[in-house]
């Protein structure tokens, strides 16, 4: 599984504003703040929302600490998606939030 640190993700999205970010935290967690532009698909709903995820794009997976996004990354990789796990999650994120 590919991964990036929060600092690498911050730099990546600065240079690639169209980057696809998927936040797999629960809705109430995301309400406290998320990376601008990230789409919230809670981990428990991910399998039911596969049709909403563009298989032709690379997606950066985000959660609170990196564990759930790691599970989401494995699930999507097994189904042929190109994903990167953000290590450290929002606990390590120092960039902007909305």
């Amino acid at each position: 599984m590919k991964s990036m640190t929060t600092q690498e993700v911050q730099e990546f999205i600065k240079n690639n504003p169209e980057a696809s970010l998927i936040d797999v935290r629960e809705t109430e967690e995301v309400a406290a703040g998320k990376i601008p532009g990230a789409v919230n698909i809670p981990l428990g709903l991910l399998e039911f929302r596969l049709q909403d995820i563009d298989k032709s794009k690379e997606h950066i997976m985000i959660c609170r600490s990196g564990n759930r996004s790691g599970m989401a990354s494995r699930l999507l990789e097994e189904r042929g998606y190109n994903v990167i796990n953000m290590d450290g999650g929002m606990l390590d994120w120092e960039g902007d939030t909305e």
Side-chain angles (χ1 to χ4, degrees):
M1 169 182 20
K2 292 189 282 186
S3 65
M4 286 183 168
T5 65
T6 55
Q7 293 82 11
E8 289 169 330
V9 169
Q10 193 170 353
E11 188 65 28
F12 182 81
I13 60 178
K14 187 169 79 174
N15 297 322
N16 300 280
E18 76 293 340
S20 172
L21 309 171
I22 300 175
D23 192 323
V24 298
R25 294 177 296 157
E26 295 301 316
T27 308
E28 54 274 7
E29 292 175 281
V30 172
K34 68 178 183 73
I35 298 172
V39 174
N40 178 228
I41 304 176
L43 180 60
L45 299 178
L46 195 59
E47 281 191 88
F48 306 103
R49 299 274 307 274
L50 294 177
Q51 74 280 0
D52 299 333
I53 303 171
D54 186 345
K55 231 179 188 171
S56 69
K57 288 186 173 181
E58 183 172 62
H59 306 280
I60 297 174
M61 308 305 292
I62 301 160
C63 72
R64 181 177 164 272
S65 66
N67 290 329
R68 282 177 283 175
S69 58
M71 289 189 286
S73 294
R74 283 188 288 283
L75 182 140
L76 291 175
E77 275 184 339
E78 289 170 1
R79 288 160 176 78
Y81 290 85
N82 186 8
V83 294
I84 300 169
N85 184 42
M86 185 173 89
D87 285 338
M90 292 303 288
L91 289 176
D92 288 351
W93 182 255
E94 294 177 358
D96 293 337
T97 59
E98 61 179 19

